[in-house]
Amino acid sequence: MARLVVAALLLATTQAVDRSKFRTCQDTRFCRVHRKPPVPPPSYKVDAANVLFEDGILRFEVSDQVQPPLLVSVAPHADSGVVRTRVTEKDKVRWEAPDVLLSDTFELDNGAALSKTTDKATLTLSSGHTLEIAYDPFSVKLTPPSAKEPSIVLNQRSLLHFERGTTVGAEATQEVEQKCEKDFAWDGSECKKIAGYWEDGLARFEDGTKEVKEYVKSTSEDGLEETFSAHTDRPKHGPTSVGIDVSFPGSKAAFGLAEHASSFALKPTTGSQYNEPYRFYNLDVFEYDLDVPMALYGAIPLAWAVSPDRTSHQTAGVFYNNPSETFVDVSDDYSLHFVSESGVLELFLFAPSSPAEGFSQYASLTGAQELPPLFALGYHQCRWNYKDEQDVRTVHGRFEEEDIPYDVLWLDIEHTDGKRYFTWDANLFPDPVTMQEDLWSTGRRMVTIVDPHIKRDNGYVVHKEAESKGLYLKDGDSDFDGWCWPGSSSYPDFTNEKVRKWWAERFSLENYQGSTPSLYIWNDMNEMSVFNGPEVTMHKSVTNLDGIEHREWHNLYGMYFQRATAEGLMLRDQNKRPFVLSRSFYAGSQRWGAVWTGDNAAQWSHLKQAAPMLLSMSVCGLIFVGADAGGFFGDPDAELMARWIQAAAYTPFFRGHAHHDAKRREPWSFGEPTTSYIRRAIADRYALLPYWYSVFAESRFSGLPVMRPLWAEFPSDSSALLLDDQWMVGSALLVKPVTEQGASHVDAYLPPGRWYEVHGAAPLTHDSRGQRVRAKAPIEGTAPLFQRGGTVVPRQRRLRRSTVAMATDPYELTVALDANGAAAGEVFLDDGVSFDFVRGGFARTAFSYANGKLSAAPAHECDARARALGVEADAATGAFAPANVVERIVVLGLQASPKAVAVAGRAVDFSWTAGALTIRRPDLPMAGAWAVDFTF
């Protein structure tokens, strides 16, 4: 019978998400009521007599003449064009999210000057921006220097609302009366005994069938009670929703609002394209649909609008810092309307001089992406599940036999003893330490999964300790008890610092028996996923240890969980960078590790969808992101698998993964010639790791994305604005992968400038005025790649088994000249594992070519932005001295072959073929000053 139960729990999946399990705006009272307010909407006015500018902050009250006034503070930052705006109640303090921002205080623009008239107050900022507060109706306008119209306007449509709440009875949530008794559920015709629950939120029965739910949706318009999916929610404080509109005059498109499985450019939600607003409520959405604004695993309420027609300051942005459930409407003119269930209104407005400055400004608020350990940028091989130690050794050995590099082998939930995390199945993994040490002997690491649900088993030490110390989230006076992979489970309160510290200690080698220093961690199901809860999560009245309802902090739980795990790995060695992959996230998650797009499918449509999702996450500050290559659900054919690996090799996080019902799809699984295609794509990733690592370092020092939309580099190019099937890696490489079945060419758009098509037998030069080119894309090649003229890209060409084996390998530099015959670039080197780089323990070299000379010079000093992000270095503090040398230099774009090439008067060997100059064995140090002279 036990085997039948397990089989029932592992039934074949459905074809698409069951949308009836998830609330829409119409099912949600605060959204339904406030999405379309009365016409005309209530108008807030500023109390002009009490507008004060003190200590760099403009403060005043606004009132709708019905409810008590609200307090508004407008604080222009010293960081050019950043303005923090807060709207709060006058006599009541609401809960606000700690730990999202790097600090509660920021350096303000104390040089701002205030002027007043009868209808407005104007701050002239030190940067030349103007900040205008209109009195009646209330609005905030931020205008860049010399601009004719504002970049961003707050409350232009007068959609500000702020519900004040009422006290409700203590009982917050109760189940709707059911047809079946406890431990039984409805199968459509009768009640059956529940054997367990599955990730789709439905009970499974012992005969292999599953529950049929009859969803109940009803709401009282006073906001005191709301019913959905057999749960009635009664907020303790009554209706406390907040909302406001944000407009971007003159904008041609808007982006961000991660995470949704939709196009990169935000679509209007008021009827022309979507009928539902974008939703932020982190959920375990089983087999998610595409091209919908439904909530997914993570939430970052940050948006950027772009106006290519402006002569400067083409980008504007808003960060709406509220972690409660939120809906966002997008109008046809790309104005946004945020409506949240609770909390306060806190918005950061951005009017930067460039997209790069805007990304840096956002990073100064929530943090930059932490620099990953170098191995984490290599290829990761995962499956649910590698079944035992012999399976692990077989897979590892086959990588060796096939000469395919990889860095990490992963284990999913089946490696544990009955889904008890921090344990091993003694029959399948009797000697995990030796298994990990065997991998590490060839430079490979292992990742195991650790989820937040803790099996309620009195024989399980983690549960016993959490229960006895009172560390679980509460359902009334009891520990919350929900269903997930282990069955009956409870969830630690990761919003609590004491609980995070306790959790971090679980990762010590003593507590996590069977682990080694080469073991890293994967956090899944951390939305949090509760199979038998409303919308496959907890009901909103669950409280943390401070008594704060789940509705207030729901979207923060995944970030806190990833943080606690990363801090646990750092407890092993405070100077060693952790690697933790998370499915759920919020603003600030970038400080703690990587994120992936969750349970995608082995379909061409999901391959196409990966880039828009990753670009959205990237411009929202979440830099180390990826989508599972090959798709999690289903079985890709050989062509789809090869094309997906080729595309994924040019995304920040690079992992192959598969469902347990899927056929094996390791790189050799499809046989030749597919194995060779995949080997080449992975090898190409490894060759470019020096460039990837340098761009990640740039991101850590500045906040810039690694995977960039074209508008991030070319904000004035309207033709590049909406593209989401090609992207930049850093500022030097443009990739346009194949995402259409049977394709052998791609039509790539090249922004104005010189570009070099670098994957052919000989590099092709394109002098573009902003046009499409048809590039060959044979499946036996790699994703079509173009190097931007004016850049220098480092590579390590020797095929090695892992990043560890590449540590001392020599480098190749590809110098791609622009139309003026110039190029520049940087390479970053450090030990690849420690935090020494934040104290100056790195070597950064700047390369430049001009007037027949290629020069290298140390570029160690950090600018103010890097120092603000915690990286301290100057020209004299370099402490890392790599022995790597330059063994080859390739120069593209010379008009003729030089007569001689010399290093410090020493002639070096070179050759000239089809417009490419190759210099062999100059043997120059990667870290140090030198010059190569060309004689023509």
Side-chain angles (χ1 to χ4, degrees):
M1 178 60 72
R3 290 183 180 179
L4 289 175
V5 172
V6 171
L9 295 177
L10 301 180
L11 290 172
T13 60
T14 57
Q15 292 301 308
V17 63
D18 179 1
R19 295 194 195 184
S20 65
K21 293 188 309 181
F22 300 101
R23 285 185 291 112
T24 64
C25 180
Q26 189 63 27
D27 301 324
T28 309
R29 179 246 168 215
F30 76 85
C31 181
R32 183 178 62 255
V33 170
H34 295 288
R35 183 188 189 194
K36 295 181 179 179
V39 179
S43 178
Y44 279 84
K45 301 177 182 179
V46 174
D47 180 359
N50 292 305
V51 176
L52 299 175
F53 187 51
E54 295 179 331
D55 302 322
I57 302 176
L58 192 66
R59 295 183 174 90
F60 50 90
E61 294 181 0
V62 297
S63 173
D64 64 356
Q65 315 305 313
V66 176
Q67 300 184 92
L70 297 168
L71 295 179
V72 181
S73 64
V74 181
H77 287 197
D79 207 347
S80 173
V82 180
V83 177
R84 184 184 196 178
T85 302
R86 289 173 51 81
V87 183
T88 59
E89 290 182 87
K90 188 175 181 179
D91 300 316
K92 181 188 285 187
V93 176
R94 295 192 179 194
W95 184 86
E96 296 187 54
D99 307 312
V100 173
L101 303 175
L102 291 178
S103 172
D104 288 332
T105 59
F106 297 90
E107 184 180 355
L108 300 179
D109 183 0
N110 291 313
L114 175 66
S115 62
K116 295 184 185 179
T117 64
T118 57
D119 61 349
K120 65 183 178 182
T122 302
L123 282 175
T124 302
L125 309 186
S126 300
S127 60
H129 291 72
T130 57
L131 188 61
E132 180 182 297
I133 314 300
Y135 292 163
D136 185 11
F138 160 64
S139 67
V140 179
K141 298 179 181 179
L142 180 60
T143 304
S146 304
K148 296 180 180 180
E149 64 177 345
S151 289
I152 184 168
V153 184
L154 197 61
N155 204 43
Q156 183 176 43
R157 297 162 58 199
S158 294
L159 296 180
L160 168 63
H161 85 268
F162 208 111
E163 290 187 310
R164 310 307 170 90
T166 56
T167 302
V168 188
E171 180 62 32
T173 299
Q174 61 186 26
E175 280 199 11
V176 176
E177 184 178 354
Q178 298 290 318
K179 298 179 180 179
C180 302
E181 299 176 1
K182 184 180 179 182
D183 299 326
F184 287 77
W186 188 250
D187 76 344
S189 59
E190 63 178 334
C191 295
K192 291 183 178 179
K193 185 172 179 58
I194 296 171
Y197 287 86
W198 193 239
E199 194 174 2
D200 58 7
L202 301 176
R204 294 314 201 256
F205 306 119
E206 292 182 350
D207 62 2
T209 59
K210 63 182 179 181
E211 179 183 12
V212 174
K213 277 194 175 180
E214 298 175 0
Y215 294 98
V216 180
K217 304 175 183 180
S218 63
T219 305
S220 60
E221 292 304 314
D222 59 8
L224 302 184
E225 186 172 287
E226 193 163 18
T227 298
F228 182 83
S229 185
H231 293 269
T232 296
D233 180 38
R234 305 180 68 220
K236 183 164 58 176
H237 301 294
T240 57
S241 73
V242 298
I244 199 165
D245 62 278
V246 183
S247 300
F248 304 99
S251 294
K252 304 303 181 184
F255 307 88
L257 300 184
E259 175 187 37
H260 298 93
S262 54
S263 64
F264 178 40
L266 299 176
K267 293 184 176 182
T269 61
T270 51
S272 61
Q273 296 196 54
Y274 290 153
N275 292 313
E276 276 289 312
Y278 290 90
R279 186 185 182 203
F280 286 122
Y281 193 63
N282 295 352
L283 293 170
D284 178 1
V285 183
F286 187 68
E287 297 188 309
Y288 57 81
D289 281 345
L290 306 183
D291 196 22
V292 291
M294 289 177 64
L296 275 179
Y297 312 106
I300 302 181
L302 169 68
W304 299 101
V306 184
S307 307
D309 297 339
R310 290 180 183 259
T311 56
S312 66
H313 296 79
Q314 293 97 344
T315 310
V318 60
F319 172 46
Y320 176 87
N321 185 21
N322 187 315
S324 70
E325 182 181 6
T326 298
F327 290 85
V328 187
D329 261 320
V330 180
S331 298
D332 289 340
D333 64 355
Y334 308 108
S335 62
L336 309 177
H337 180 202
F338 293 90
V339 180
S340 296
E341 182 178 16
S342 57
V344 303
L345 290 172
E346 179 174 62
L347 300 95
F348 292 86
L349 313 182
F350 306 94
S353 60
S354 66
E357 183 180 51
F359 298 140
S360 292
Q361 289 170 339
Y362 173 72
S364 72
L365 302 179
T366 66
Q369 178 74 55
E370 189 51 81
L371 181 62
L374 178 58
F375 78 82
L377 303 186
Y379 178 65
H380 299 248
Q381 184 62 54
C382 184
R383 179 178 176 80
W384 180 20
N385 203 84
Y386 290 119
K387 55 190 178 182
D388 54 27
E389 290 181 4
Q390 183 55 50
D391 197 10
V392 167
R393 290 189 169 92
T394 298
V395 171
H396 168 72
R398 192 66 183 271
F399 271 99
E400 298 280 87
E401 293 173 17
E402 298 288 350
D403 287 330
I404 300 174
Y406 88 102
D407 262 80
V408 190
L409 198 60
W410 294 52
L411 295 179
D412 211 317
I413 54 177
E414 310 304 335
H415 81 278
T416 62
D417 177 13
K419 314 300 189 298
R420 298 170 181 85
Y421 302 109
F422 306 101
T423 69
W424 304 82
D425 185 313
N427 293 318
L428 303 178
F429 297 91
D431 190 0
V433 170
T434 299
M435 175 181 64
Q436 293 163 63
E437 289 175 344
D438 287 346
L439 292 178
W440 179 236
S441 69
T442 61
R444 274 57 174 258
R445 275 88 168 177
M446 175 163 276
V447 163
T448 54
I449 196 167
V450 177
D451 291 347
H453 45 262
I454 304 302
K455 184 179 179 68
R456 294 189 61 82
D457 173 3
N458 289 331
Y460 178 28
V461 64
V462 177
H463 167 66
K464 284 184 63 177
E465 196 168 320
E467 186 177 53
S468 65
K469 293 184 175 182
L471 305 181
Y472 285 136
L473 295 169
K474 302 300 179 184
D475 186 1
D477 295 328
S478 304
D479 292 341
F480 175 79
D481 184 350
W483 195 278
C484 206
W485 295 128
S488 177
S489 304
S490 289
Y491 297 70
D493 176 14
F494 292 106
T495 71
N496 186 284
E497 183 177 6
K498 179 182 72 173
V499 177
R500 293 198 301 271
K501 184 177 183 299
W502 170 82
W503 182 260
E505 291 167 351
R506 300 310 97 209
F507 291 93
S508 72
L509 299 181
E510 178 182 4
N511 286 327
Y512 190 174
Q513 295 186 11
S515 68
T516 71
S518 63
L519 183 73
Y520 294 82
I521 302 299
W522 171 18
N523 288 162
D524 196 2
M525 315 298 284
N526 52 333
E527 294 75 25
M528 64 296 287
S529 180
V530 181
F531 292 170
N532 61 335
E535 300 194 273
V536 201
T537 191
M538 292 180 182
H539 54 74
K540 290 185 174 181
S541 64
V542 169
T543 59
N544 65 12
L545 298 182
D546 294 325
I548 306 300
E549 285 190 308
H550 169 219
R551 76 184 73 250
E552 304 283 351
W553 44 262
H554 172 85
N555 288 337
L556 295 173
Y557 191 82
M559 179 191 74
Y560 275 128
F561 181 51
Q562 186 181 23
R563 172 181 176 172
T565 302
E567 289 174 339
L569 294 182
M570 287 188 283
L571 279 183
R572 295 178 173 183
D573 184 342
Q574 291 287 351
N575 197 37
K576 187 177 181 182
R577 281 174 256 162
F579 170 74
V580 181
L581 179 72
S582 174
R583 190 170 69 174
S584 185
F585 57 86
Y586 187 72
S589 287
Q590 65 271 13
R591 306 199 298 267
W592 309 112
V595 169
W596 93 108
T597 60
D599 298 342
N600 56 2
Q603 300 168 10
W604 287 94
S605 59
H606 278 257
L607 169 57
K608 294 177 187 177
Q609 185 62 61
M613 293 179 73
L614 298 178
L615 287 169
S616 295
M617 296 159 83
S618 294
V619 301
C620 286
L622 204 58
I623 310 300
F624 195 13
V625 292
D628 283 336
F632 178 65
F633 290 112
D635 296 309
D637 61 19
E639 181 189 7
L640 176 56
M641 191 69 205
R643 290 304 194 186
W644 209 320
I645 289 286
Q646 290 171 359
Y650 287 95
T651 61
F653 176 60
F654 185 22
R655 181 178 79 157
H657 185 34
H659 190 272
H660 60 71
D661 287 337
K663 297 175 183 176
R664 288 290 184 122
R665 82 247 322 239
E666 289 77 22
W668 51 86
S669 299
F670 298 92
E672 291 293 354
T674 305
T675 301
S676 294
Y677 303 161
I678 293 174
R679 179 189 298 110
R680 180 172 179 181
I682 295 175
D684 197 56
R685 167 65 169 228
Y686 275 78
L688 276 168
L689 280 181
Y691 179 72
W692 278 102
Y693 196 56
S694 297
V695 178
F696 265 98
E698 177 190 31
S699 177
R700 177 63 179 84
F701 288 20
S702 67
L704 298 185
V706 169
M707 182 179 178
R708 301 173 189 172
L710 267 63
W711 61 255
E713 292 290 323
F714 308 95
S716 297
D717 186 354
S718 58
S719 297
L721 182 61
L722 300 180
L723 297 178
D724 61 8
D725 59 355
Q726 61 182 72
W727 60 90
M728 300 291 296
V729 177
S731 61
L733 297 178
L734 184 155
V735 63
K736 173 68 162 94
V738 171
T739 58
E740 295 284 348
Q741 187 174 14
S744 58
H745 293 77
V746 297
D747 292 320
Y749 175 78
L750 301 182
R754 179 165 290 179
W755 297 87
Y756 299 88
E757 193 174 336
V758 297
H759 273 160
L764 298 177
T765 304
H766 301 277
D767 285 314
S768 176
R769 289 176 290 183
Q771 63 202 47
R772 288 193 174 270
V773 299
R774 190 164 178 80
K776 294 180 179 179
I779 194 169
E780 63 270 18
T782 59
L785 186 70
F786 302 84
Q787 184 171 344
R788 187 179 182 179
T791 64
V792 179
V793 171
R795 286 180 174 84
Q796 288 177 294
R797 289 288 191 183
R798 298 183 183 180
L799 183 63
R800 301 293 195 185
R801 55 175 58 168
S802 68
T803 54
V804 170
M806 298 167 63
T808 61
D809 279 356
Y811 282 66
E812 173 186 293
L813 301 178
T814 301
V815 182
L817 305 184
D818 62 17
N820 297 316
E826 289 185 344
V827 66
F828 174 92
L829 294 92
D830 72 347
D831 61 24
V833 294
S834 79
F835 285 107
D836 287 350
F837 75 92
V838 301
R839 297 176 291 274
F842 63 87
R844 185 167 57 186
T845 303
F847 303 101
S848 63
Y849 179 93
N851 301 319
K853 183 188 290 281
L854 176 64
S855 302
H860 198 72
E861 190 168 359
C862 291
D863 61 14
R865 183 73 66 185
R867 290 193 293 273
L869 293 172
V871 182
E872 295 287 346
D874 57 39
T877 61
F880 185 73
N884 308 75
V885 299
V886 180
E887 72 168 354
R888 184 183 296 109
I889 300 171
V890 179
V891 184
L892 306 177
L894 289 173
Q895 296 302 305
S897 174
K899 297 176 182 177
V901 179
V903 175
R906 171 177 62 90
V908 294
D909 184 37
F910 69 92
S911 62
W912 169 266
T913 305
L917 178 74
T918 302
I919 303 170
R920 297 181 181 85
R921 299 302 302 272
D923 295 333
L924 297 164
M926 280 299 294
W930 46 260
V932 178
D933 293 299
F934 298 74
T935 301
F936 291 93

